[in-house]
Amino acid sequence: MTLANKITVLRIIAVPFFVIALIEHYTRTAQLLFVLSVFSDALDGAIARLRGERTPLGTFLDPMADKLLLIAAYITLTYLGRLPLWVFVAVLSRDVLILMGWLLVYVLTNNKKIEPRPIGKVTTVLQMAFMMAVLFDIPGNYLRLLLDIMVAATMISALDYVWDGNLRLGAIEP
């Protein structure tokens, strides 16, 4: 297993500890685990590129680690009453839509390749930034602005993935 993949696996292992820290109100521990996870996300990608160690496993695990961390964070903070339910629904709906779209493309075309979209990467960064803002209690006006930008990007990203899926299926002309 490559170094980058080992870092990604550690990020996945950290998710339940992050959730427990949130539920048990170990705020500093939760903040630290989230920040380290976000930092290691950038680190494992850089290591894989610099060392020429991009692997099919890493291509699958890296976005999975992002999704696990983000969905766990949004579920837990919604459960704790720190986020409105609609924010969690917006974030989760995009991911479910992407998964369903990928399954549909795979079933109809036997193409299992997953290609991240540029707006999808931006959306993930914004979702992480918003979560960091919530975890660090950023003042309301800034938090609301970041929330609005993040939700807009999440919805645009969902539409972009639907558009791309339709292109891949030949349902629409480019």
Side-chain angles (χ1 to χ4, degrees):
M1 183 179 291
T2 67
L3 176 59
N5 288 346
K6 288 176 183 176
I7 292 169
T8 303
V9 168
L10 285 174
R11 214 171 56 200
I12 292 169
I13 291 169
V15 171
F17 294 99
F18 166 72
V19 170
I20 291 166
L22 279 176
I23 290 171
E24 296 297 327
H25 305 289
Y26 295 118
T27 304
R28 295 287 179 239
T29 302
Q31 291 169 333
L32 178 65
L33 286 170
F34 193 84
V35 168
L36 287 174
S37 292
V38 170
F39 173 73
S40 70
D41 182 28
L43 182 65
D44 63 14
I47 288 172
R49 282 187 296 280
L50 290 172
R51 296 177 70 172
E53 295 179 345
R54 290 186 178 186
T55 65
L57 179 62
T59 302
F60 175 78
L61 283 182
D62 186 65
M64 186 61 59
D66 292 343
K67 294 298 161 214
L68 287 172
L69 175 65
L70 286 170
I71 294 300
Y74 280 85
I75 287 173
T76 306
L77 288 175
T78 300
Y79 168 77
L80 293 173
R82 293 187 58 192
L83 285 179
L85 182 60
W86 71 267
V87 173
F88 165 69
V89 170
V91 170
L92 181 66
S93 295
R94 171 189 170 260
D95 291 337
V96 169
L97 186 68
I98 291 169
L99 179 61
M100 289 174 41
W102 176 82
L103 286 171
L104 182 64
V105 169
Y106 176 70
V107 166
L108 295 177
T109 68
N110 204 29
N111 180 351
K112 60 184 174 187
K113 188 172 183 181
I114 300 172
E115 297 178 25
R117 309 279 298 156
I119 187 66
K121 290 183 176 195
V122 169
T123 299
T124 298
V125 168
L126 287 169
Q127 289 175 352
M128 287 179 174
F130 175 73
M131 187 51 54
M132 222 176 277
V134 170
L135 289 170
F136 284 91
D137 294 318
I138 300 299
N141 290 339
Y142 298 110
L143 187 64
R144 184 59 201 213
L145 176 62
L146 187 54
L147 171 63
D148 292 344
I149 294 168
M150 182 274 293
V151 169
T154 299
M155 296 300 104
I156 291 167
S157 173
L159 293 172
D160 180 61
Y161 276 103
V162 168
W163 179 265
D164 183 61
N166 279 304
L167 285 174
R168 290 174 75 184
L169 291 172
I172 57 175
E173 295 293 320

